[in-house]
Amino acid sequence: MQKITCDVLVIGAGPAGLAASIAAKQEGAEKVLIVERDESIGGILQQCIHPGFGLSYFEEELTGPEYYARFADKALELGVEVLLNTMVLDIGDTGVVCMSSKDGLSIIEAGSVVLAMGCRERTRFQLTIPGSRPSGVFTAGTAQRLMNRENAMVGRRVVILGSGDIGMIMARRITLEGAEVIAVVELNDYLAGLTRNKVQCLDDFEIPLLMKHTVTDIKGKKRVESVTVCEVDAENIPIPETAVEYPCDTLLLSVGLIPENELTHKAEIEISPITNGPVVNQYMQTSREDVFACGNVVHVNDLVDNVSLESERAGQCAAKYALGRLKKAEDVIQVQPGRNVRYICPQEIVNSGDGGEINLYFRVTSPEEKVRILVKTGDKVIVQKRALRVNPGEMEHIRFDAKEITSPDLTVEVMKEAI
Amino acid sequence: MKTDVVVIGAGAVGCAIARELSKYELDITVVEKNEDIGGDASKSNSAIIHTGYDASPGSLESELVVAANPMYDKIVRDLDVHFEPVGAILPAITDEQLEQLPAIKDKAMRNRVYDVEYLTREDVLRMEPEINPEVRAALYIPRESIIDPFVLVQAYAENAYANGVHFLLSTKVTDIRTGDGCVQSVITTGGEIETKWVINAAALYCDEIAGMVGKRCYDVVPRRGQFYILDKNTSCKVKHIVLPIPTKTTKGRLMCPTVHGNMLIGPTAEDLDDKSATETTADGLESIRIDVEKLVPRVNWRDAITQYSGLRPNRVPEGLHVDTYEDLNGYINLSGVRSTGLTLSVAMGKYVAQLMISLGMNAPFKKNFVEKRKGITRFADLSVEQQASLIEKQPLYGNIVCRCETVTEQEILDAIHRPLGARSVDAVKRRVRAGTGRCQAGFCTPKVIEILARELKMPASEIMKNEKGSYYVVGDMR
Ligand SMILES: Cc1cc2nc3c(=O)[nH]c(=O)nc-3n(C[C@H](O)[C@H](O)[C@H](O)COP(=O)(O)OP(=O)(O)OC[C@H]3O[C@@H](n4cnc5c(N)ncnc54)[C@H](O)[C@@H]3O)c2cc1C
Ligand SMILES: Cc1cc2nc3c(=O)[nH]c(=O)nc-3n(C[C@H](O)[C@H](O)[C@H](O)COP(=O)(O)OP(=O)(O)OC[C@H]3O[C@@H](n4cnc5c(N)ncnc54)[C@H](O)[C@@H]3O)c2cc1C
């Protein structure tokens, strides 16, 4: 078994891993190594051939491959090393075990580790959609991979469940390929993905969006033959009288992503039951002090631009840790979700006393209009901002200086504006 | 074509019979309508090797199940099948249930299952902390066990094949010719097969087969069972088979581990008339949740990774039957292999062979019978050192195709290239578990399709999920 040593080890070469590795290098880490199980770098962006990336980070509109290429070029230029076709199996106490067919099993001893494994898709079974189990039920990302990376068309008449971004983008993609998208079906009365994707991917192509509907049955012995769609009541329970059966050969699911935390779980790192990703502090440091995390493995992001920013922090702090320059996480404050806040990331803040910018990302529980977003230390408001509209499908962001924290109670809340 | 014995159906029972008969100098042909060995009911059941404690005392089912259970210690070693004698616990939660325990124990004794014991409330909660804390007492049935049902049937079939049995897959029996009081031949979608013996192990369709020789004196009414499978990492797990105490109307829903560490919960029992109704239903699944929470209150349904259902080949009138007929030599009819067929398969093989001997089958014992079968090496189960040396010898062990279950490319190649190998994505899945994890094949499906297409030299559009027509891709994009 070969032994490898490095200062910072990054697991995953998606946008998160790439940005983290660059920042680690820039912070002064000498040997930064990315381990990636795929045969090429770029992560999920390799199959995102549509535009819409980089609007805030680069202030221009790029495709997925164009976006990650910029980071990839930079990383290579800085001398980041990459092991492809190599899967990390375990983050043990004595080293990280990984494997490839070329080099067999290796053990990597690293000063610090950055988790950047991305996420996976929720399936029909996690939603317990009953019915038969034919071929032709795909998660939207799998269909996207088949179409954009394997050049294989998945179906001719398609129903899409869930108004997540991937689902809406695939609705457009499938339409452009000459197949028919019968409808996009969404359980809630608000969109799961970004409004701009609804406009650009559904409205522009006249694809019907059925809000407050769900799929209640799948029929077909071999290949999907039809799906049944029902309206739901206020409690999201299907109303049987409203059932409509749509003949189709394909059902795509865009019903949520789950951070890919097999390794995190095995390493006994604390995982948040809400995000399903590791609990982190503002350094993106997990409950194991030499392990950092960023990107979709921490919490599912809708915009890769946020991933890049967050990952730079992770890479920088991981390098500091490896070089012995990161302060010990001692006085830790939990960030509490207040009114209409589902979760906040980072969940913890290390109050070192010497300040520093804190970026809190969070999602609301339910959509609301004309609100004020507040961060409070005890009863005192540190920052606040107004928002015309908040939506669970769109991540919110608020920033302040750690110096402002004066109480162990730190809360983020969304309040209705007084009229 | 000419053969000595035609076995109809490559489920657990058909394959076990074929394997047992392959110990004799006989030419044996198994005819199976599906594209893969593995059966129908045999791939969608609770995967329990029963003891027979609750069988009807004195019945043929009691005899065969009780005989079969101890045979598993050897058969799983010979055939390299994952089996674990985890034991079952039958908790009494209510007073009413408590009163029933002595009768259940008494019945077990009458079935010659003598090792059933009482457990106190403290015993139960120590052995199985997730059981409803209101439990009063329980029965413990140590030899109720769990098995990998897919590999069991594959192992029977592969070993039978190694001993010269022919398998005709994707071949349906459509008629049986008789004459002079004997079976003459079997007509299939692949042609006519002349034969001396016909063994009907067609389970759900055994009534139709019996009809082909004018012996249909019963019907098969499918009784559906729906199940949940939960993630290996679910927060609430049990170590034993936790069985409900049956009521007058239902046997109830159980919860147990699978040999791979998932939780299996179910089944329902719904009589239907459609023999292909293997869908799940919202009502059926809900009834499982309600029932099982009475036994194990903290079950975490959010950790469900799949749901499925199977059809029990329920006979009306009821009961397990192995019939022969004075006016029809060479024909053996099995029916009512309903809820314990996986378990009794190994004993059924012996029983049928002995029956044939009593009816004049006098082929000698084979001298060179191959007793053992080696399964596919499962990379994930090896130590790090073993894994390292395996990759050195065969680099494709270093390519992980299914990330959830850690299945390597070499294992998939083994599944495809071994005798009676996999030809579809589901067939790969049943052999090496690719796609059975929490992402339910979202990640590995494109890769498995690619590997099958490459190895079988077919375009991706011809790779099926299982049967013909269950394609994934409709063609190239441009
Ligand atoms: C289908 C889809 C469409 C999207 N569309 C848009 C859009 O239009 N605009 C936008 O701004 N954002 C979009 N996003 C969001 C954005 O792409 C993601 O937030 C971003 O890609 C997440 O980056 P990541 O590096 O965390 O994960 P990923 O890109 O998934 O990268 C994770 C990498 O880790 C590797 N890995 C995982 N486990 C291991 C292991 N054990 N060993 C080795 N390597 C491992 C994986 O192979 C992968 O390469 C989209 C996301 C998806 C999924
Ligand atoms: C919900 C459920 C739970 C169960 N739990 C357990 C358990 O825990 N333990 C246990 O021991 N048993 C259990 N059983 C019972 C067990 O699964 C069955 O008794 C057993 O699998 C029957 O095996 P078989 O080979 O007879 O039938 P099958 O597996 O159904 O095989 C019959 C084969 O015959 C083929 N066939 C039919 N007609 C034709 C034709 N005309 N031409 C060619 N081929 C044909 C079919 O394609 C099929 O492959 C359960 C069953 C169900 C449904």
Side-chain angles (χ1 to χ4, degrees):
Chain A
M1 227 184 307
Q2 72 168 342
K3 262 212 164 74
I4 303 172
T5 56
C6 64
D7 297 306
V8 178
L9 170 67
V10 178
I11 306 176
L18 289 171
S21 69
I22 292 169
K25 257 309 202 198
Q26 287 170 335
E27 187 62 31
E30 207 162 305
K31 180 163 173 171
V32 178
L33 175 66
I34 309 184
V35 176
E36 167 58 55
R37 67 177 168 208
D38 201 355
E39 62 197 16
S40 46
I41 59 174
I44 203 74
L45 292 190
Q46 295 178 84
Q47 64 187 54
C48 298
I49 58 175
H50 54 278
F53 298 85
L55 284 167
S56 77
Y57 193 91
F58 291 115
E59 291 179 349
E60 58 181 305
E61 189 168 32
L62 304 173
T63 64
E66 284 168 347
Y67 185 89
Y68 78 75
R70 295 199 177 183
F71 288 87
D73 292 346
K74 184 87 175 274
L76 293 183
E77 191 187 302
L78 291 171
V80 171
E81 293 169 44
V82 186
L83 279 179
L84 293 175
N85 293 311
T86 307
M87 172 122 167
V88 173
L89 297 180
D90 192 29
I91 309 171
D93 293 331
T94 53
V96 172
V97 183
C98 65
M99 148 169 131
S100 74
S101 66
K102 193 162 123 281
D103 300 321
L105 283 155
S106 312
I107 287 206
I108 306 176
E109 276 171 22
S112 62
V113 176
V114 179
L115 309 176
M117 290 93 73
C119 59
R120 61 190 156 86
E121 298 177 278
R122 287 180 78 196
T123 69
R124 79 172 264 203
F125 298 108
Q126 284 166 314
L127 302 186
T128 318
I129 304 175
S132 56
R133 293 174 302 287
S135 174
V137 183
F138 298 92
T139 55
T142 301
Q144 188 181 44
R145 183 187 164 102
L146 281 164
M147 289 176 66
N148 294 351
R149 287 188 75 180
E150 323 278 342
N151 198 38
M153 186 61 192
V154 294
R156 298 282 176 226
R157 277 176 65 82
V158 184
V159 171
I160 299 179
L161 176 62
S163 61
D165 290 314
I166 321 174
M168 294 195 283
I169 286 163
M170 286 307 287
R172 174 176 65 185
R173 182 86 178 92
I174 286 168
T175 309
L176 289 173
E177 275 310 311
E180 184 190 356
V181 177
I182 299 164
V184 173
V185 179
E186 168 59 53
L187 179 73
N188 290 309
D189 53 6
Y190 54 86
L191 210 59
L194 302 172
T195 310
R196 78 161 196 236
N197 279 334
K198 171 179 178 299
V199 175
Q200 294 172 4
C201 301
L202 305 185
D203 299 353
D204 287 359
F205 293 84
E206 296 176 353
I207 297 168
L209 172 63
L210 304 175
M211 305 299 280
K212 290 299 275 180
H213 282 71
T214 193
V215 170
T216 54
D217 197 9
I218 301 171
K219 291 204 177 106
K221 293 285 174 243
K222 294 168 179 173
R223 177 79 188 197
V224 174
E225 286 164 17
S226 74
V227 302
T228 305
V229 173
C230 270
E231 210 178 310
V232 298
D233 65 15
E235 266 78 59
N236 286 349
I237 308 290
I239 308 166
E241 303 78 61
T242 63
V244 179
E245 192 174 331
Y246 291 97
C248 59
D249 62 10
T250 305
L251 173 65
L252 290 197
L253 301 172
S254 178
V255 290
L257 302 168
I258 306 169
E260 169 115 356
N261 275 301
E262 271 72 20
L263 292 174
T264 324
H265 195 97
K266 253 211 258 173
E268 294 178 2
I269 288 168
E270 187 188 351
I271 289 181
S272 152
I274 301 171
T275 58
N276 286 307
V279 171
V280 291
N281 60 29
Q282 77 265 39
Y283 311 132
M284 303 308 289
Q285 188 177 28
T286 69
S287 64
R288 219 179 97 176
E289 61 172 22
D290 60 337
V291 178
F292 296 73
C294 55
N296 281 350
V297 81
V298 179
H299 61 142
V300 174
N301 285 267
D302 18 81
L303 286 177
V304 70
D305 307 65
N306 291 338
V307 168
S308 300
L309 290 171
E310 167 187 291
S311 305
E312 284 165 357
R313 236 170 324 118
Q316 185 189 29
C317 297
K320 280 190 178 160
Y321 181 91
L323 302 170
R325 297 207 297 254
L326 192 72
K327 275 216 166 144
K328 262 227 170 297
E330 266 161 5
D331 187 7
V332 176
I333 292 174
Q334 309 288 327
V335 191
Q336 305 292 344
R339 182 186 175 278
N340 198 16
V341 174
R342 195 161 76 87
Y343 77 81
I344 303 150
C345 182
Q347 294 90 344
E348 297 179 350
I349 290 179
V350 181
N351 198 0
S352 58
D354 31 333
E357 187 180 273
I358 304 284
N359 285 280
L360 296 181
Y361 292 89
F362 65 94
R363 285 185 194 275
V364 296
T365 310
S366 49
E368 214 166 21
E369 287 187 354
K370 299 216 182 70
V371 294
R372 198 183 282 271
I373 298 167
L374 309 166
V375 180
K376 287 183 180 167
T377 176
D379 286 335
K380 194 177 129 234
V381 175
I382 303 181
V383 274
Q384 53 177 309
K385 68 175 191 187
R386 288 193 176 144
L388 270 181
R389 213 162 42 86
V390 288
N391 192 325
E394 311 202 14
M395 192 146 62
E396 297 296 330
H397 172 216
I398 195 159
R399 179 184 0 220
F400 58 93
D401 198 288
K403 274 208 285 283
E404 312 269 359
I405 301 174
T406 52
S407 149
D409 290 325
L410 191 72
T411 321
V412 179
E413 57 188 35
V414 174
M415 301 306 285
K416 199 86 185 141
E417 282 266 42
I419 309 163
Chain B
M1 224 185 116
K2 223 175 148 165
T3 191
D4 296 327
V5 185
V6 168
V7 178
I8 306 172
V13 173
C15 291
I17 292 172
R19 174 183 188 260
E20 183 63 27
L21 292 179
S22 73
K23 294 177 179 170
Y24 300 85
E25 295 288 354
L26 284 169
D27 190 81
I28 303 157
T29 306
V30 179
V31 183
E32 169 56 55
K33 68 174 168 53
N34 297 344
E35 46 83 50
D36 190 17
I37 50 169
D40 287 332
S42 306
K43 61 189 188 215
S44 43
N45 50 56
S46 315
I48 296 173
I49 296 304
H50 293 296
T51 54
Y53 78 93
D54 62 345
S56 176
S59 66
L60 177 61
E61 187 177 18
S62 165
E63 179 183 332
L64 292 181
V65 174
V66 173
N69 183 289
M71 291 165 70
Y72 278 89
D73 290 331
K74 177 166 158 56
I75 199 94
V76 299
R77 253 185 286 123
D78 286 351
L79 299 183
D80 198 7
V81 183
H82 200 151
F83 166 84
E84 285 182 33
V86 292
I89 294 177
L90 205 78
I93 313 280
T94 62
D95 282 338
E96 203 187 327
Q97 289 175 337
L98 190 62
E99 282 166 22
Q100 289 177 52
L101 293 185
I104 297 171
K105 189 164 188 294
D106 178 64
K107 191 173 183 186
M109 294 293 287
R110 283 187 286 137
N111 279 309
R112 310 281 190 273
V113 181
Y114 279 25
D115 55 357
V116 174
E117 297 285 353
Y118 283 114
L119 297 178
T120 64
R121 177 190 142 80
E122 289 69 32
D123 292 337
V124 181
L125 291 174
R126 183 176 39 75
M127 289 167 67
E128 203 58 270
E130 290 290 355
I131 284 183
N132 188 339
E134 285 169 27
V135 61
R136 317 292 304 276
L139 285 180
Y140 177 51
I141 310 143
R143 281 290 304 186
E144 290 276 315
S145 307
I146 55 177
I147 198 162
D148 184 331
F150 310 116
V151 173
L152 176 66
V153 185
Q154 288 152 18
Y156 285 143
E158 289 174 13
N159 187 242
Y161 181 91
N163 287 298
V165 173
H166 317 285
F167 283 80
L168 299 178
L169 302 179
S170 299
T171 307
K172 187 175 172 179
V173 172
T174 53
D175 204 359
I176 299 171
R177 257 192 213 137
T178 59
D180 302 332
C182 299
V183 292
Q184 301 288 342
S185 68
V186 172
I187 317 287
T188 76
T189 50
E192 183 167 355
I193 309 167
E194 265 182 59
T195 183
K196 298 186 197 116
W197 298 89
V198 172
I199 299 166
N200 175 4
L204 267 183
Y205 299 93
C206 70
D207 51 352
E208 290 170 23
I209 303 285
M212 294 174 192
V213 293
K215 301 292 179 196
R216 181 168 178 163
C217 58
Y218 61 90
D219 287 318
V220 177
V221 178
R223 183 171 291 174
R224 181 166 60 199
Q226 304 185 36
F227 294 93
Y228 272 95
I229 298 284
L230 306 191
D231 197 302
K232 292 173 182 176
N233 287 342
T234 186
S235 46
C236 167
K237 295 178 84 166
V238 294
K239 295 186 281 296
H240 302 82
I241 302 162
V242 180
L243 295 171
I245 292 184
T247 66
K248 271 188 209 81
T249 48
T250 160
K251 276 187 113 178
R253 320 307 153 63
L254 60 88
M255 174 160 174
C256 68
T258 69
V259 289
H260 300 106
N262 297 88
M263 290 293 120
L264 179 153
I265 305 176
T268 56
E270 313 149 58
D271 285 340
L272 310 169
D273 26 71
D274 180 357
K275 289 183 180 175
S276 66
T278 54
E279 61 266 7
T280 57
T281 64
D283 292 348
L285 294 171
E286 189 188 351
S287 74
I288 296 175
R289 296 196 295 271
I290 292 171
D291 262 24
V292 167
E293 281 177 15
K294 292 177 194 154
L295 286 179
V296 181
R298 287 186 348 113
V299 183
N300 190 350
W301 303 104
R302 288 184 47 183
D303 288 328
I305 59 170
T306 189
Q307 299 91 31
Y308 66 95
S309 82
L311 300 175
R312 302 175 190 82
N314 180 36
R315 184 188 194 272
V316 177
E318 264 189 28
L320 172 68
H321 292 256
V322 178
D323 293 315
T324 55
Y325 308 88
E326 278 181 6
D327 60 348
L328 188 56
N329 282 337
Y331 181 75
I332 300 179
N333 196 72
L334 278 55
S335 58
V337 190
R338 184 181 72 195
S339 315
T340 51
L342 199 63
T343 306
L344 60 76
S345 57
V346 60
M348 183 63 94
K350 300 264 181 205
Y351 185 89
V352 168
Q354 201 57 38
L355 190 62
M356 287 169 67
I357 290 167
S358 75
L359 292 170
M361 191 279 281
N362 55 8
F365 225 66
K366 231 181 236 165
K367 288 199 191 69
N368 52 354
F369 176 73
V370 183
E371 196 177 30
K372 293 197 159 52
R373 167 248 180 211
K374 183 83 194 78
I376 298 173
T377 301
R378 190 163 153 67
F379 184 83
D381 292 344
L382 304 177
S383 71
V384 173
E385 292 72 27
Q386 289 169 316
Q387 290 178 336
S389 82
L390 209 54
I391 302 174
E392 236 164 74
K393 276 183 247 146
Q394 177 43 271
L396 290 180
Y397 279 114
N399 277 355
I400 290 183
V401 174
C402 165
R403 61 181 173 188
C404 302
E405 296 292 315
T406 318
V407 182
T408 65
E409 184 165 352
Q410 183 57 44
E411 291 163 83
I412 293 180
L413 294 188
D414 287 351
I416 296 171
H417 292 304
R418 58 176 30 227
L420 304 173
R423 293 289 171 273
S424 67
V425 172
D426 279 358
V428 167
K429 166 173 121 178
R430 286 193 297 269
R431 282 168 179 76
V432 294
R433 292 183 57 69
T436 56
R438 56 185 70 95
C439 90
Q440 285 292 301
F443 180 74
C444 65
T445 300
K447 293 189 186 179
V448 173
I449 294 174
E450 188 189 315
I451 296 172
L452 277 164
R454 182 185 76 210
E455 296 299 314
L456 302 176
K457 302 190 174 56
M458 300 202 304
S461 55
E462 282 174 31
I463 301 302
M464 299 294 141
K465 182 172 194 293
N466 39 57
E467 298 298 320
K468 213 171 164 149
S470 61
Y471 58 91
Y472 287 94
V473 306
V474 294
D476 283 353
M477 296 270 290
R478 278 167 291 268

